[in-house]
Amino acid sequence: MKKLFVPLMLVLVLLISACGNKEGTEKEKTASKEPETFTYQSETGPVEVPSNPKRVVMLSGFTGNVLHLGVNVVGADVWSKNNPTFSKEMKNVEEVSDENLEKIIELEPDLIIGLSNIKNIDKLKEIAPTVTYTWGKLDYLSQHVEIGKLLNKEKEAQAWVDDFKKRTSDAGDEIRGKIGEDATVSVIEAFGKDLYVYGENWARGTEILYQGMKLKMPEKVKEVALKSGYYTLSAEVLPDYAGDYVILSKYSDANTSFEETETFKNIPAVKNGRLFEMKGEGASFSDPVTLEKQLEFIKKSFLEN
């Protein structure tokens, strides 16, 4: 019996292997039939772009969107290059600018993504298909889906958006349950010598806090920053804009002398340990990589303190 069993098993293995090879060959044939390019309807008109871009140059703040969709970036603007959130992914990426076309040519990109206000757009189009977006024209989640369309990864982008919205909403329910439905939150940033307070769509976690989690913004902040997105403050009036909770985004080289004043120390959120510090570098992005990091920061700050 053992003598018959061994040859039979060998035949079965060969059959399975043959089927696998055939299936692989069929997949390769199908893949080879996929068009190499397709027409993307950009905000400035149709652009013929690669179906599977492999060397993308970023001249925008959307680098995290492209990275999150697993597409290779070979060149990026200075803000993306120096963003600590992307430090691992940016390790071998060249820093480029819209004024250094020779460096972009050397990178041999098959797609360039930029903001609508960058320079040399016509010359960039001669190097590779170039798609630009107007900052703020789409909301932060719709922008990710739109970039997913451009990279032929719309389903992946939409799936992340749906999941992120649910996780953010659930976390918001939990946070409001802890701090109360009427508690207010301010997002303030120290940058250089200035202080700013932000509305609901100016990164620094504002989209998550106000849009996703439905947390409340102080009335004073609504008056000055809801439409414009941000408002410049002086240290003397900071208490007027501080909510029951404060997210303080601090750049490493910012003037933080205001923190030594009695005015600041007597802000209720400061006195009650309800001020949470966020690193300023990288906080001005609102891509999935940054948003995931900010969501974890917000959950930890509100729920573990």
Side-chain angles (χ1 to χ4, degrees), residues 113-130:
I113 302 174
L115 289 173
S116 56
N117 60 355
I118 59 173
K119 299 174 183 175
N120 297 314
I121 291 180
D122 288 339
K123 292 179 180 176
L124 289 166
K125 288 178 179 176
E126 294 176 3
I127 300 171
T130 300

Side-chain angles (χ1 to χ4, degrees), residues 5-283:
F5 180 73
V6 172
L8 281 172
M9 284 300 294
L10 181 60
V11 171
L12 281 172
V13 169
L14 290 172
L15 283 171
I16 292 169
S17 176
C19 289
N21 289 336
K22 185 179 179 183
E23 186 179 343
T25 305
E26 290 300 320
K27 284 183 178 178
E28 287 171 9
K29 285 181 180 177
T30 303
S32 65
K33 289 179 182 176
E34 290 178 355
E36 293 183 356
T37 64
F38 72 97
T39 303
Y40 172 72
Q41 297 296 332
S42 77
E43 66 179 49
T44 58
V47 183
E48 197 71 10
V49 298
S51 299
N52 295 292
K54 293 178 172 57
R55 299 183 62 80
V56 181
V57 162
M58 301 299 301
L59 297 171
S60 70
F62 305 122
T63 303
N65 301 82
V66 177
L67 294 174
H68 195 263
L69 290 169
V71 175
N72 187 44
V73 175
V74 295
D77 54 273
V78 62
W79 285 92
S80 296
K81 178 67 179 176
N82 295 329
N83 186 336
T85 306
F86 309 147
S87 59
K88 184 179 177 183
E89 293 86 348
M90 289 289 107
K91 185 177 179 182
N92 297 316
V93 174
E94 292 289 333
E95 181 182 317
V96 295
S97 77
D98 53 0
E99 294 184 317
N100 192 343
L101 301 181
E102 287 185 4
K103 196 165 187 178
I104 293 176
I105 292 171
E106 289 173 2
L107 293 173
E108 299 181 343
D110 54 6
L111 180 64
I112 298 171
I113 302 174
L115 289 173
S116 56
N117 60 355
I118 59 173
K119 299 174 183 175
N120 297 314
I121 291 180
D122 288 339
K123 292 179 180 176
L124 289 166
K125 288 178 179 176
E126 294 176 3
I127 300 171
T130 300
V131 173
T132 58
Y133 296 102
T134 302
W135 185 264
K137 188 172 184 177
L138 297 175
D139 69 70
Y140 71 119
L141 295 178
S142 298
Q143 181 68 68
H144 186 56
V145 175
E146 193 59 36
I147 291 175
K149 291 178 185 176
L150 169 63
L151 300 176
N152 203 15
K153 291 178 178 291
E154 182 181 1
K155 286 183 180 177
E156 293 93 326
Q158 187 63 59
W160 177 82
V161 166
D162 294 342
D163 179 60
F164 186 75
K165 286 173 73 174
K166 183 179 187 311
R167 286 187 285 124
T168 303
S169 177
D170 289 348
D173 291 343
E174 195 174 353
I175 290 172
R176 295 198 316 279
K178 179 180 179 182
I179 69 175
E181 293 288 341
D182 295 327
T184 58
V185 183
S186 299
V187 178
I188 292 167
E189 185 168 86
F191 177 78
K193 297 179 180 178
D194 297 314
L195 288 170
Y196 302 88
V197 64
Y198 293 98
E200 63 176 5
N201 59 354
W202 217 257
R204 287 97 177 160
T206 56
E207 292 91 349
I208 296 173
L209 291 163
Y210 300 128
Q211 296 185 45
M213 293 182 167
K214 309 297 183 190
L215 299 182
K216 288 193 173 181
M217 183 185 298
E219 289 298 323
K220 194 79 173 174
V221 179
K222 279 185 185 177
E223 292 173 13
V224 298
L226 193 55
K227 287 185 179 179
S228 60
Y230 70 94
Y231 183 74
T232 309
L233 299 175
S234 67
E236 290 74 20
V237 300
L238 193 55
D240 296 339
Y241 299 88
D244 300 309
Y245 292 79
V246 173
I247 302 286
L248 177 60
S249 169
K250 287 169 61 176
Y251 275 77
S252 55
D253 59 352
N255 180 357
T256 56
S257 58
F258 67 91
E259 291 181 292
E260 304 304 319
T261 65
E262 290 303 311
T263 301
F264 179 79
K265 291 177 181 177
N266 285 317
I267 292 174
V270 177
K271 291 174 68 175
N272 296 323
R274 293 174 176 174
L275 181 142
F276 310 126
E277 289 191 8
M278 174 193 290
K279 193 171 185 178
E281 284 85 355

